[in-house]
Amino acid sequence: MFPFRPILLLLPLGILLPSCEQQSAKAEAKPEPIIHEDLGDNQLPGAPSTFLAAADQSPVHWQRWDPDILTRAKDSQRLIFAVIGSSRYPGCFEAMRVIDDRASIVRRLNDEFVPVLVDLDICRETSLLASILSPETGQAVSFPFFLVISHEGAPVTWQPLQYSSPEDVLDFFDNSLDVISRLWNDPEYVLSDSASKIQLRKSRLPKPDPRVNEPEDRLVAFQTGIRRINSFYDEDIQTLAGAGGLFPFGLLDALALASTSDALPESTTEKSQEALNGILGELLNSAMIDPLDGGIYPSRRGNSWNLPSFHRNCATQARAARVFARIHSLTGHPGALEVARKAVRFAEANYRTQDGLFSLTGKPASAPDLEWLWTEEQLKSTLSENEFNLWKQLSDIRSLGNLPSEAAPTGRLFRLNSLRIQRPLNQAAERAGLSRNEASTLFESGRKKLLKGRDSRMAPPRPDSNPSASANFRMVSAYSALFTATGDRSYLDRALALGKKCRTAFAGTRFLNERPGESAEVMSDGRAFTYTLATQAALDLGAITLEDEWYQWARDMSTLLGEHFIIDGERLVEAREASRVVDLNFEDRMMTFGESTSGLLRINLVRLGALGFQIPPALRPWAESLPDLRSYPIVHTDVLRALALETGNAIIVVGNKAPAEMRERVSTLPLECYVRRDSETAGDAIEVRMADGSRQTVTSLDQLQALVEGQN
């Protein structure tokens, strides 16, 4: 069966255009269009994000993404031309500048369309829609993503854009606007065709995941999924085939849990540990962890971890901190904890706003490209001789460049080097003929010079003053994980303070908002994924404080999710009905941009169930069903995480009169692996309920420590 394609790609142009007589007859029957006053001006001033606010002076009459836009499009008898982008993709800003600078494009967007600018970080469903539609153009998903839709909320045509030069944008508009406008000469055809295609899409949406209720079957699914992931690992090159180009946080997390799981055969845990150590070894020695400022890059460009995509964001830092802190807690892997600490420091230095919350990312001055890389001559001119000799050993600097030729077959990267900590400082010092103390001093002085030099060639992003719900909930979880890994109460204090700020800023009304405000506009109505992040953060706070109010809030968030984001009793959607624009209710099941909504929901449901909360009836299918983990384990590592917790977590009931040092030790156990809750009836004891059903009462810190060490 042929795949769907946009109208413009599917049919020859001659078939699309009606005859002149048809056009004339239809034109006579048309009512006069009603042009709403809003369409005469740019509606982005005061918009709740850097990406949108950057276009608030644009000559294009940009509108906001909310259901009202459908009414304005219907009344004006125009198609909606949506540009979907984000501050996380610098090319989006470049593309917007090209549009603004071409008067003919501006005029046509204003006069012939309803132009809408969409921030995919606020309206997450649009990024998922782009990921579904992009393959039908024969291209990978990229942003900005151009989407034309009818006033009925049905996609008409679309195009992802991988920005590299202004010509990319100009070619699209030069080749497409005329065709789209002529297509709209027969609106009845366009409306009926797009409506029929979206109905066909709905009929072909994947069926709900099958129910797998028996514990034995769920255990087998977990074991099968982990074995399949391990089978993809190549120990010779320390790489997992098919892992993709995103930083593999979910994969690392799943392997860490598997390597310490009692529910897996010993051979599987050993293989999981081997794969975890191998992949970590490659990543920790790569450019994905910046040696100059400690920040983590979200993805790579091409097939080399030494060529990252250069623009970073707060969510990546927070997720890195949580995952690497857990890896340290579970496996004691050397270096993991320092990565977590540096990621949080980077987030605090670059994304914290004046009110103590966190933005998602800043606005880049331009799309960074080769400015991030160095020639050997540039490094020599920036560093002293001894500093250069040390960094040469650390990063394997070469006169012809240290990036593999396959990273850029066109030769663009010839003679360019990326900086990374390829070998430990003591080994680099020995190779450079330096003592350890000399090397430490030279490393720090060289790092500062290199950072200053890079900033002079590639200006850091300008700070964003708009806090992001997803970034803040992730930072709560990052602080919580670092507290469990270190016992440092400053992390607990930061987690708790930020959690309270989040409840005020993003949950001032019954529903969550993607941006602060008690009466947020529909556009920034909280999406389903944000509810799962909020639930995770609340569960983490309950675990480190043993305060039941956070568990209750997690339950409330899950209840709201079940009441307002489930369609037809079986499909989890990103936006509430009151906020949806495109009439396509698909479920986020696969880890396209990180965790999936359904995967993170499953993890939360396991934790809530272990705490003794009843699963909201509408969400029970996600507690009982499973995707195909044998065929697609890598895109479902979040589901494997849920199964790891389901088959192996311990439940700890903490007496509210138990000694303070015992309560604190319980609160610093790894998140999720140990579900803990305060109890008035347990007195001064602690009861540990193991995954195998056994129970043990602990009355001393030594007993507790011995039990935990036995589990780990």
Side-chain angles (χ1 to χ4, degrees):
M1 183 171 291
F2 293 106
F4 288 113
R5 293 195 181 277
I7 290 178
L8 300 185
L9 299 177
L10 184 64
L11 297 175
L13 181 57
I15 298 177
L16 294 175
L17 303 180
S19 69
C20 294
E21 290 181 355
Q22 289 175 315
Q23 293 182 35
S24 177
K26 293 179 185 297
E28 291 177 4
K30 277 185 181 179
E32 286 295 319
I34 301 172
I35 308 300
H36 288 244
E37 183 178 351
D38 289 350
L39 296 184
D41 292 301
N42 186 316
Q43 299 298 311
L44 296 184
S49 83
T50 290
F51 178 62
L52 299 179
D56 63 4
Q57 299 300 312
S58 168
V60 179
H61 300 161
W62 294 114
Q63 306 293 299
R64 303 191 183 199
W65 182 260
D66 61 54
D68 288 344
I69 200 66
L70 299 175
T71 300
R72 296 197 288 277
K74 181 179 181 181
D75 292 345
S76 65
Q77 300 176 18
R78 297 178 181 179
L79 290 168
I80 296 168
F81 192 105
V83 178
I84 300 169
S86 163
S87 294
R88 290 188 287 123
Y89 302 94
C92 293
F93 291 102
E94 303 283 0
M96 298 302 294
R97 279 193 282 269
V98 174
I99 293 173
D100 287 351
D101 290 342
R102 179 63 69 94
S104 59
I105 295 177
V106 172
R107 183 174 60 255
R108 297 200 67 173
L109 288 175
N110 290 340
D111 295 346
E112 300 176 24
F113 299 91
V114 176
V116 180
L117 193 61
V118 190
D119 188 331
L120 62 88
D121 291 313
I122 294 179
C123 307
R124 187 172 182 268
E125 71 280 7
T126 61
S127 66
L128 300 172
L129 181 63
S131 72
I132 290 174
L133 297 179
S134 291
E136 298 179 17
T137 68
Q139 300 180 57
V141 61
S142 57
F143 299 100
F145 184 86
F146 299 128
L147 173 66
V148 178
I149 63 174
S150 72
H151 66 253
E152 296 175 340
V156 175
T157 186
W158 52 88
Q159 183 68 42
L161 180 71
Q162 182 68 51
Y163 181 88
S164 61
S165 70
E167 284 68 32
D168 297 331
V169 181
L170 297 176
D171 286 348
F172 169 80
F173 281 101
D174 290 343
N175 295 329
S176 302
L177 283 187
D178 279 340
V179 179
I180 297 172
S181 295
R182 281 192 275 173
L183 170 64
W184 191 235
N185 285 338
D186 189 359
E188 287 78 7
Y189 169 76
V190 174
L191 291 174
S192 63
D193 184 83
S194 59
S196 65
K197 282 187 169 57
I198 202 169
Q199 289 303 319
L200 194 54
R201 285 182 183 279
K202 289 179 180 179
S203 69
R204 293 179 177 176
L205 287 172
K207 299 298 181 185
D209 292 325
R211 300 289 180 98
V212 182
N213 287 319
E214 293 299 324
E216 295 82 3
D217 294 335
R218 297 178 71 83
L219 175 59
V220 168
F222 172 51
Q223 294 172 339
T224 299
I226 293 297
R227 286 195 186 104
R228 285 286 289 159
I229 283 182
N230 287 337
S231 71
F232 297 144
Y233 176 67
D234 187 328
E235 61 271 15
D236 292 331
I237 58 176
Q238 297 184 328
T239 299
L240 196 92
L246 296 178
F247 199 111
F249 295 119
L251 182 63
L252 294 173
D253 214 354
L255 288 172
L257 290 168
S259 67
T260 57
S261 173
D262 290 334
L264 296 172
E266 185 177 354
S267 59
T268 305
T269 60
E270 290 177 352
K271 184 67 175 178
S272 298
Q273 184 71 57
E274 179 186 356
L276 175 65
N277 289 338
I279 298 169
L280 278 175
E282 182 182 24
L283 289 169
L284 293 178
N285 294 332
S286 76
M288 298 298 290
I289 300 171
D290 195 289
L292 304 185
D293 57 28
I296 313 296
Y297 292 95
S299 60
R300 67 187 182 189
R301 301 197 297 176
N303 58 4
S304 173
W305 293 118
N306 290 317
L307 187 63
S309 55
F310 305 134
H311 195 52
R312 291 169 286 188
N313 62 79
C314 186
T316 298
Q317 313 312 311
R319 194 173 177 205
R322 193 174 194 270
V323 170
F324 278 96
R326 194 216 300 279
I327 290 173
H328 168 79
S329 296
L330 293 178
T331 71
H333 189 284
L337 183 58
E338 189 58 23
V339 171
R341 284 180 165 139
K342 286 181 177 179
V344 161
R345 287 200 292 268
F346 182 85
E348 291 175 336
N350 291 276
Y351 308 115
R352 186 148 50 189
T353 63
Q354 289 184 345
D355 52 8
L357 294 167
F358 289 85
S359 63
L360 182 62
T361 189
K363 178 185 176 183
S366 62
D369 187 28
L370 303 184
E371 297 88 349
W372 186 86
L373 302 169
W374 301 78
T375 65
E376 187 178 59
E377 291 73 20
Q378 287 172 328
L379 291 168
K380 286 181 176 179
S381 65
T382 302
L383 302 171
S384 70
E385 182 178 353
N386 284 340
E387 288 169 342
F388 172 77
N389 289 335
L390 176 65
W391 278 90
K392 179 178 181 178
Q393 297 302 326
L394 285 169
S395 295
D396 189 30
I397 303 300
R398 303 180 185 183
S399 59
L400 299 182
N402 64 6
L403 292 166
S405 58
E406 58 269 22
T410 61
R412 289 181 69 247
L413 306 181
F414 183 56
R415 296 189 181 279
L416 294 175
N417 294 272
S418 67
L419 299 180
R420 73 266 196 176
I421 306 301
Q422 181 174 287
R423 56 178 57 92
L425 184 61
N426 61 334
Q427 291 183 17
E430 184 177 352
R431 284 170 171 256
L434 301 167
S435 69
R436 179 59 190 265
N437 289 338
E438 288 175 320
S440 296
T441 301
L442 291 169
F443 172 81
E444 186 61 21
S445 61
R447 183 191 68 81
K448 292 178 179 178
K449 290 178 183 178
L450 291 169
L451 183 58
K452 183 179 179 180
R454 188 176 69 186
D455 288 347
S456 69
R457 294 188 293 128
M458 186 180 79
R462 294 188 288 278
D464 184 357
S465 61
N466 296 287
S468 159
S470 60
N472 281 277
F473 288 128
R474 283 194 184 276
M475 284 300 295
V476 170
S477 290
Y479 286 138
S480 300
L482 273 168
F483 170 65
T484 64
T486 65
D488 183 344
R489 293 192 64 85
S490 70
Y491 288 123
L492 184 151
D493 294 340
R494 280 179 270 182
L496 190 56
L498 184 57
K500 292 177 178 178
K501 284 180 178 290
C502 285
R503 292 189 69 168
T504 301
F506 305 109
T509 60
R510 184 185 180 200
F511 296 108
L512 289 177
N513 300 322
E514 295 292 336
R515 295 295 187 268
E518 294 191 358
S519 56
E521 57 196 70
V522 173
M523 181 182 66
S524 58
D525 181 41
R527 268 44 181 184
F529 187 70
T530 307
Y531 279 78
T532 62
L533 288 177
T535 302
Q536 175 182 264
L539 289 168
D540 291 347
L541 284 170
I544 64 173
T545 64
L546 300 179
E547 295 176 0
D548 198 59
E549 67 167 297
W550 294 109
Y551 290 143
Q552 296 292 343
W553 194 52
R555 182 202 60 183
D556 293 344
M557 290 297 98
S558 294
T559 300
L560 284 174
L561 188 70
E563 291 175 348
H564 297 278
F565 294 87
I566 306 300
I567 302 296
D568 301 327
E570 61 181 15
R571 195 174 302 283
L572 174 65
V573 295
E574 281 302 303
R576 292 194 301 137
E577 185 175 4
S579 305
R580 286 197 295 275
V581 177
V582 175
D583 187 24
L584 188 60
N585 299 315
F586 54 87
E587 180 178 334
D588 177 27
R589 298 183 180 184
M590 296 192 299
M591 298 176 64
T592 305
F593 301 105
E595 306 107 316
S596 66
T597 305
S598 60
L600 193 52
L601 170 62
R602 284 184 167 101
I603 295 171
N604 291 338
L605 294 179
V606 171
R607 299 176 74 183
L608 285 167
L611 286 164
F613 289 111
Q614 183 176 1
I615 303 300
L619 299 181
R620 183 157 293 281
W622 286 268
E624 299 175 349
S625 63
L626 289 176
D628 183 358
L629 296 175
R630 172 179 288 277
S631 301
Y632 308 105
I634 291 178
V635 297
H636 293 304
T637 54
D638 45 9
V639 179
L640 288 172
R641 284 175 53 205
L643 286 172
L645 303 175
E646 182 182 312
T647 57
N649 62 359
I651 301 170
I652 303 178
V653 179
V654 185
N656 60 356
K657 296 181 180 178
E661 63 271 16
M662 289 180 64
R663 291 174 60 85
E664 182 166 343
R665 180 67 186 98
V666 168
S667 68
T668 57
L669 294 173
L671 293 174
E672 301 176 0
C673 304
Y674 294 87
V675 177
R676 50 268 201 176
R677 192 170 188 180
D678 205 17
S679 170
E680 293 184 1
T681 59
D684 60 357
I686 293 176
E687 183 183 75
V688 181
R689 303 169 186 172
M690 309 307 295
D692 61 6
S694 63
R695 300 190 178 196
Q696 183 171 340
T697 299
V698 177
T699 57
S700 72
L701 185 60
D702 289 342
Q703 278 184 298
L704 177 62
Q705 189 65 31
L707 185 62
V708 171
E709 289 176 353
Q711 281 295 106
N712 290 338

